[in-house]
Structures are given as structure tokens and as C-alpha cells.
Amino acid sequence: MARKSFKINDELMNGIEQTLEVTKQFSQDMQFNVINIGLIEPDPENPRDLLISKDQIKEYISGNKNLPLEALTEIEGLNSLAESIRKDGVINPVIVYEHKNIYRLVAGERRTLASLLAGKEQIQAKILPNKPSEDNLRLLQWVENIERKDLNIFEKRDNLFKILGFNSAGGKVSIKQLIDILGCSKSQAAIYKSLVEADEKLISLCKEFNVDSLKKVDELSRIKTYDDRVLLLTGRSSKKQNDKEPSALVVSTEGAGRKRQQVNFGATKNVSVAKKIISILKSHIDGGSLSSHLEVTSNDMNILTKEFEKLIKKIEKGVESNDK
Amino acid sequence: MNPIIVIATHKGGEGKTTFSSNIAEYYALVKNKKVLLVDCDQQANLSSRYLNISIDSTFPEGKIPSIHPDYDNDEDWDGISSITDIFFNRDVCPYPTRIKNLEIIPSHSQKLQEIEKIEDKYVNQKVFKTFRDFLRLPSLHNEYDLIIIDTPPAKGNITRAAISAATHLLIPAKMEKYSMEGIYGMLQLWKKQNFNRGKDDKLELIGFVPNMCRNVNLHNTFHEMLKKSNQSSEHVLDVMIKQRTIYAEVVANESDPLGVFELKKGNQAREEFSKLCEIIDKKVFGVKQKEVST
């Protein structure tokens, strides 16, 4: 009789192997659990403190609304988060580390206070065995804070400096370094790089115009002159000018992609606008030689386009002869 | 804190109860350690080995422990104690057994079933915490050198509570297909525990013990596969407990002898089980053994 043969089903065997491996590899330093909010206290060294304490929140929900103005404002700010926690719970566990018999918050102050406001007594937490090193602390807080709307770009920049070890003078950083340290995508790293390397002029411009998005900072960093930067921010020239005439020029910028080979002057479907532009140009170009063509009479888009192209060529010739 | 070993697999009939009692008796009789057995199975098989277990008149499918020997008609007590007392605000009184070093907290079928029925997530957490807090009481660890928990063939609240309390997990398994699935299932609970526990508190996996083995291709092949696999090889214990009638015989009332470690030295069953217990001992208590003074 032939020998019967058997084996443990592959899927099952793999499942057993994988479970053993994953647990061995990851569970050592990982601990997720639900902890009492009562046992959480803020980290005394966290750069961001909300202007309200756990006790004040408890007062508030027990009916005593007689709190200082900053506290009440904070509560207002926390209300929408509290509402979503009431419905769906905390989506991302907060991060704490064990300190004697309590937990110190590494990241998640808003979530903790909002949970309290929502009437919860416990919160999901990732529990680190010790206080993370300075570097890791900043990094953890960075990762937590980057998506927060209430941290402004200057605070984010400061945090990045700390993570990278820069003093207030800042420094240069490569995209690869940022990807390695932050674990972000290439495009995100490019945006952070612009923030880190933004010079004083750009920073003060951002302060002046209340720039609040990292993407805007990135765009601005690619524009070289102050005037063009202001143009981007306001859609208007910084020089005092007839405000009713918005510029039809596209600002030339140093993009991250392939360098442009030419400047485009936009387009318009409005024939009157086209005629006006052409007339203005003609009247500003050293008079004389073009005066015979001062009037633009045609309404035909093809003819107007050709007129404009002729003008450009004339200007090019003029510029060339001036340069010689 | 002393070791708390949980013997678990959700597959029925794999040998949890047999292992619980045999390992407990090994430590009590051979190693002279004080052992506490905890019976969490509604079937109350483990309890009935050491105590007179009677049918619960109010719950015919269930069993209740006998009256505690220390009961002296105290008005505040009905004279029985079980592991479920911890959930109902009653004092727990372990029962002595015929073996000097061995005591047992028996099962109570109906109350265990009540606990199993709880579905509320919040209450579940409380069940696990209560169980764990009790089994880790310093007073308990002052009294006993080792605690062994027998669990039901299920993955419900009781098994989970036991796993959350334990320091070590042992999985008996036949070398057959459905049993492999039992191993897999238990490993998921083990994994989840370890992702919830602190660094110094992890649930150690003692391993899988090939049980009820016969010298057939099926059993040998499965055993070999586990021994050859990367990860499993570390956890499949290097002993095969064979299918032997003697294991069932010693459980029968009035059998002689009453346990595996009361068989003559040299007896195959006793030898192989001793080998298993020595392997477990190294893993749980480490290679350096404390000299136990008699």
C-alpha cells in the first residue's frame, strides 16, 4: 500500500509563522491600551500648552462656567473635536510615557482635553516605557502637530529646526534627509525644505501678509523678487498703481520642473481687451516707426494674435539693437 | 511575582485539563513547590479530580463545588467558593487536595456561564482586569510558588481573562489539522495581549506541546513541519506526549495509582511527562533552580 502523505495547509502554516514573527518583532516596544484620563498629566517640557487645564474642564462640565476668558475660548476651540469624539471616539491614540505611577503626555493634549469635555473617562493610548529622547520627543510631537490647524507655520518651522538640530539661524537640509527623518513623501519633503531654508526676507513677508499655509511658503520661495512675491500674495503689484487694472502678466517663477523656454503672455477671449493691450503696447514703444499702425481696427482674433506677435518681434529687434 | 501559567486552546479535547493536573502534580510532588490550580472551565473536570463536585440543583447542566472543609456553619457564608467569587464580591477560599502542596480554586458552572454571556465591551474590560488583579495579588504569591489556570475550549471572556492574567501560555495540540487551527487561534490572542502589555510584562509563550501522538505518518509529519518552520521551531516543544490509556486511567475514581507521578519511576508515561515538565521548568523558572527546602 502506498504511503499516505500529509502536510499542514500552507496558508495555516504561514499564518502561524507570521503571527509568531510579527509578535516577536514588534510587541517588545509596543504597548497600546486604554488608560484613565485621570492618570494623564501634561509633560512639563512640551512647547505647546493649551490655555486650560483638566481641572478647569471638569469644573466646566460640572456646571461652573465661571472661568477665565482664555479658558472659555479654549473650550470653544475644543468643542468640535469633543463632538466628534463623542460620536466616533478618538481616532488616533494619544502618546504617553510612564512616569512613576502616572502617564505623561508626549502628544495629544487636545484629544485628551476634548475627550474629557466629551464626558469620557478613558482614552486610547500608545504607552512608551520611558520618556523618549529629546530628538524622538520633538519628532513625535512634530508628527502629531503637523496636521494641526492651530500651530502656525512659524511654530512648525521652529519645531523642524529643533528636530534637525539647527539653532535660530537655521540651515540647509536635503530632501533625502527630510524623508529619512520625518518619513514623509518626496513632495512633502520639498515643502518642508522650503520652510526650513526660507530666508529672513521671506519670513518677514509671510508675517506681514499672514501667510498660513506651507504650500504658499513653498510657492513664494520659488519667486525671486519681493515685488513678484507680493503679486502672488495679493494679485496686485506692490507699487502704487491704478488698482482697477489687474495685471494680465503671468509672473515668471523658477519652478521645480523643466525650465520654461519662453514667457507666455496669457490669453483672453475678449477682443476689446486684446485690442486695448495691443494699443497700450504700441503707444509705449518708441513712437515713430509704429505710429502708422497705432489704430487696431480688426475684431478678428487671428488678426489680433498676429498683430501681437509682430509687436513682440519688433520689441525683440529693438532690444537687440539696444544691447549692441 | 511568581509564574502564572495558562493552558489554553479553543479546540476541545486537546488535553488542557490533563496537562493542568499533571503539571501541577509534577511541581507539587516532584519539585515540592506550592501550587494553586484554577479551574475556569464550566465542565469542572479539573475540579472533580480533586473535590467532590455535585450537580447544581438550580442549574442542572452545571456543577458546583463541595462544601469547603473550613466551613463551620458560619451565617455569612454558604460554604462554597469558586473562581467566580471574584466577580461577585465574595471572598475566595482555595480548597486543599489530597496532595499536600496542591490547592485548587474550583469552577462554578452557572456563574461562569453568566460571565461568558457578557457582551458589553466596557464590562468585558472589567472582567479581564478583575481576574488579572486577583491572580496577581501579592498575598496569593506569598502563599503559592506557581499558579496554573485551566481554561474552557472557547475564545470567550473567561479564556481571554485568563490570558490577560497569565505570565506564561502553554498550548497543547494534537498533531492534526483542526488542532493546528487551534494553535493559530490562540496565537492571535497571545499577539493581542503582547501588543497591549508593557515591556516587562509580556505573555511568554512556553510553546506548543504535541499531544496524544501515535507513531503514524500524520502525526510525525505535522510534528516535523512545525519543527522545520522558521518561527514555530522555537516554540514546538521537543517532546511528544503519546496517546496512552494510562493518562485516562489515572483520572478515573479509585484508580491506583491516582496520578502520573505516582506511577513507578521508569514507567513510560511518567518518563515522558517528566521530560515535558523539565522542559517547561527550564522555560518558566530558568536554568538556575532555586533549591527548595523541604
Side-chain angles (χ1 to χ4, degrees):
Chain A
M1 193 170 73
R3 271 200 99 151
K4 294 187 244 184
S5 80
F6 307 96
K7 70 175 189 131
I8 301 176
N9 163 288
D10 279 341
E11 205 183 316
L12 191 50
M13 196 67 231
N14 284 337
I16 292 176
E17 286 288 290
Q18 248 202 18
T19 309
L20 288 168
E21 180 165 359
V22 162
T23 309
K24 213 164 72 172
Q25 225 187 9
F26 291 105
S27 75
Q28 259 315 102
D29 298 314
M30 188 109 85
Q31 183 187 0
F32 281 94
N33 219 328
V34 175
I35 60 181
N36 280 329
I37 296 183
L39 295 175
I40 300 179
E41 68 174 35
D43 183 0
E45 291 163 50
N46 187 335
R48 282 280 298 177
D49 266 332
L50 288 183
L51 297 168
I52 187 167
S53 71
K54 272 200 301 179
D55 288 331
Q56 284 174 310
I57 299 226
K58 285 198 205 136
E59 290 271 305
Y60 184 83
I61 51 181
S62 65
N64 175 19
K65 319 269 179 179
N66 191 11
L67 296 170
L69 186 59
E70 315 96 60
L72 291 171
T73 319
E74 287 286 12
I75 288 186
E76 235 172 287
L78 289 171
N79 268 331
S80 76
L81 185 56
E83 194 48 47
S84 98
I85 290 178
R86 228 174 252 124
K87 272 194 294 184
D88 302 318
V90 165
I91 308 288
N92 273 329
V94 301
I95 305 182
V96 302
Y97 66 89
E98 291 191 74
H99 178 81
K100 301 189 181 159
N101 285 332
I102 50 99
Y103 298 105
R104 279 219 175 137
L105 210 50
V106 170
E109 191 178 3
R110 290 194 85 229
R111 269 164 287 166
T112 308
L113 293 174
S115 296
L116 211 55
L117 195 60
K120 304 277 182 190
E121 287 178 355
Q122 297 182 310
I123 191 170
Q124 288 181 34
K126 174 173 178 179
I127 304 165
L128 304 173
N130 321 99
K131 179 169 181 143
S133 69
E134 268 311 301
D135 296 336
N136 285 343
L137 198 59
R138 299 273 167 245
L139 185 55
L140 281 166
Q141 284 163 346
W142 165 266
V143 171
E144 287 290 320
N145 292 340
I146 189 60
E147 292 307 318
R148 285 171 52 181
K149 296 189 182 108
D150 50 346
L151 248 199
N152 62 42
I153 59 169
F154 310 106
E155 287 167 319
K156 287 179 183 171
R157 187 163 175 261
D158 281 336
N159 241 335
L160 268 173
F161 276 15
K162 287 189 181 116
I163 292 170
L164 295 167
F166 292 165
N167 59 26
S168 52
K172 293 242 170 267
V173 68
S174 73
I175 294 204
K176 184 176 186 312
Q177 272 175 291
L178 285 166
I179 292 177
D180 284 342
I181 295 174
L182 301 176
C184 59
S185 67
K186 202 167 173 189
S187 48
Q188 268 303 102
I191 293 184
Y192 296 149
K193 179 176 155 82
S194 302
L195 183 64
V196 169
E197 294 180 356
D199 59 25
E200 274 313 309
K201 282 193 232 157
L202 179 53
I203 294 298
S204 34
L205 182 73
C206 290
K207 287 196 172 129
E208 190 187 333
F209 283 88
N210 284 325
V211 174
D212 61 358
S213 101
L214 293 183
K215 245 187 152 201
K216 197 119 252 174
V217 175
D218 182 51
E219 279 176 33
L220 287 169
S221 67
R222 299 180 196 289
I223 299 174
K224 292 300 149 190
T225 72
Y226 175 80
D227 291 343
D228 291 340
R229 284 175 174 176
V230 172
L231 206 57
L232 182 79
L233 286 169
T234 62
R236 293 199 291 275
S237 167
S238 60
K239 297 204 181 80
K240 284 206 165 77
Q241 216 191 42
N242 189 354
D243 279 4
K244 289 190 194 129
E245 309 260 15
S247 171
L249 278 177
V250 170
V251 181
S252 67
T253 72
E254 238 174 66
R258 191 173 59 86
K259 275 197 149 53
R260 277 187 184 276
Q261 301 302 318
Q262 62 190 26
V263 176
N264 286 331
F265 288 97
T268 178
K269 289 183 182 161
N270 188 327
V271 165
S272 318
V273 170
K275 283 160 85 167
K276 189 148 198 189
I277 292 175
I278 293 173
S279 322
I280 292 172
L281 261 183
K282 278 186 174 178
S283 63
H284 278 81
I285 291 164
D286 34 25
S289 52
L290 294 175
S291 53
S292 55
H293 302 280
L294 212 51
E295 279 301 314
V296 186
T297 47
S298 173
N299 281 331
D300 177 54
M301 290 202 179
N302 277 330
I303 293 180
L304 288 172
T305 304
K306 287 216 165 68
E307 278 293 313
F308 196 76
E309 283 169 359
K310 270 198 259 176
L311 264 177
I312 293 197
K313 287 210 161 40
K314 289 221 155 77
I315 298 174
E316 279 175 345
K317 278 206 186 109
V319 166
E320 280 165 23
S321 55
N322 280 345
D323 284 345
K324 279 174 191 155
Chain B
M1 189 179 59
N2 293 327
I4 304 171
I5 303 178
V6 63
I7 316 245
T9 168
H10 62 262
K11 180 97 182 45
E14 298 288 278
K16 293 181 285 297
T17 304
T18 310
F19 274 33
S20 301
S21 58
N22 290 346
I23 296 172
E25 288 174 22
Y26 172 81
Y27 275 102
L29 293 169
V30 177
K31 291 290 190 187
N32 209 14
K33 288 203 197 268
K34 272 213 87 175
V35 185
L36 176 66
L37 272 171
V38 181
D39 187 1
C40 293
D41 191 349
Q42 289 176 39
Q43 291 171 109
N45 293 142
L46 185 66
S47 307
S48 67
R49 174 168 171 73
Y50 303 104
L51 309 175
N52 283 328
I53 300 293
S54 29
I55 309 267
D56 186 347
S57 54
T58 64
F59 188 65
E61 316 107 71
K63 310 275 189 353
I64 48 170
S66 45
I67 301 287
H68 198 285
D70 292 348
Y71 181 58
D72 56 359
N73 291 312
D74 179 3
E75 274 185 11
D76 295 327
W77 189 25
D78 60 5
I80 62 175
S81 179
S82 76
I83 185 63
T84 55
D85 286 345
I86 64 178
F87 302 116
F88 295 98
N89 220 355
R90 289 164 51 111
D91 286 335
V92 173
C93 306
Y95 287 62
T97 68
R98 65 179 176 83
I99 299 173
K100 182 186 67 149
N101 282 336
L102 180 55
E103 295 188 0
I104 181 168
I105 302 177
S107 147
H108 187 301
S109 308
Q110 189 224 351
K111 290 190 184 168
L112 280 171
Q113 199 175 88
E114 270 181 55
I115 304 289
E116 283 290 22
K117 283 199 185 134
I118 296 172
E119 282 176 2
D120 182 325
K121 201 167 170 196
Y122 178 60
V123 183
N124 281 356
Q125 296 294 331
K126 280 199 136 180
V127 166
F128 304 162
K129 187 172 191 307
T130 307
F131 204 94
R132 187 186 145 103
D133 286 346
F134 171 72
L135 281 183
R136 289 176 177 229
L137 281 173
S139 51
L140 218 57
H141 289 262
N142 277 337
E143 186 69 28
Y144 305 99
D145 300 314
L146 170 65
I147 301 176
I148 298 177
I149 314 173
D150 186 19
T151 55
K155 268 199 283 186
N157 292 333
I158 294 296
T159 303
R160 285 168 204 261
I163 285 182
S164 75
T167 58
H168 293 80
L169 169 65
L170 185 71
I171 307 175
K174 292 192 212 161
M175 293 289 99
E176 292 171 12
K177 172 169 172 161
Y178 300 136
S179 314
M180 294 298 119
E181 290 175 5
I183 292 180
Y184 180 75
M186 265 316 110
L187 287 180
Q188 302 319 306
L189 292 188
W190 169 68
K191 175 173 115 173
K192 187 164 199 273
Q193 264 306 299
N194 278 340
F195 278 105
N196 284 345
R197 289 200 191 186
K199 200 170 190 162
D200 299 320
D201 180 33
K202 299 295 179 190
L203 178 61
E204 299 294 336
L205 179 59
I206 301 176
F208 331 128
V209 184
N211 196 18
M212 299 186 222
C213 302
R214 284 173 281 129
N215 192 11
V216 293
N217 211 1
L218 173 69
H219 292 175
N220 291 331
T221 309
F222 273 44
H223 191 204
E224 283 308 304
M225 272 198 84
L226 285 174
K227 282 204 289 194
K228 284 211 180 87
S229 299
N230 224 348
Q231 300 288 335
S232 307
S233 54
E234 274 180 51
H235 299 284
V236 64
L237 299 194
D238 193 18
V239 61
M240 284 175 102
I241 301 296
K242 297 228 164 31
Q243 175 81 49
R244 295 181 200 277
T245 320
I246 189 76
Y247 289 124
E249 280 172 344
V250 295
V251 170
N253 288 7
E254 290 158 48
S255 69
D256 178 24
L258 292 163
V260 172
F261 294 100
E262 286 148 287
L263 292 164
K264 286 210 182 78
K265 267 201 184 160
N267 173 291
Q268 286 188 316
R270 178 172 172 161
E271 288 308 300
E272 92 185 350
F273 223 95
S274 297
K275 186 173 176 212
L276 170 63
C277 291
E278 275 158 35
I279 294 175
I280 293 174
D281 193 45
K282 275 209 186 79
K283 293 212 172 198
V284 173
F285 287 99
V287 180
K288 286 206 190 95
Q289 291 269 356
K290 267 193 302 187
E291 280 308 305
V292 184
S293 54
T294 332

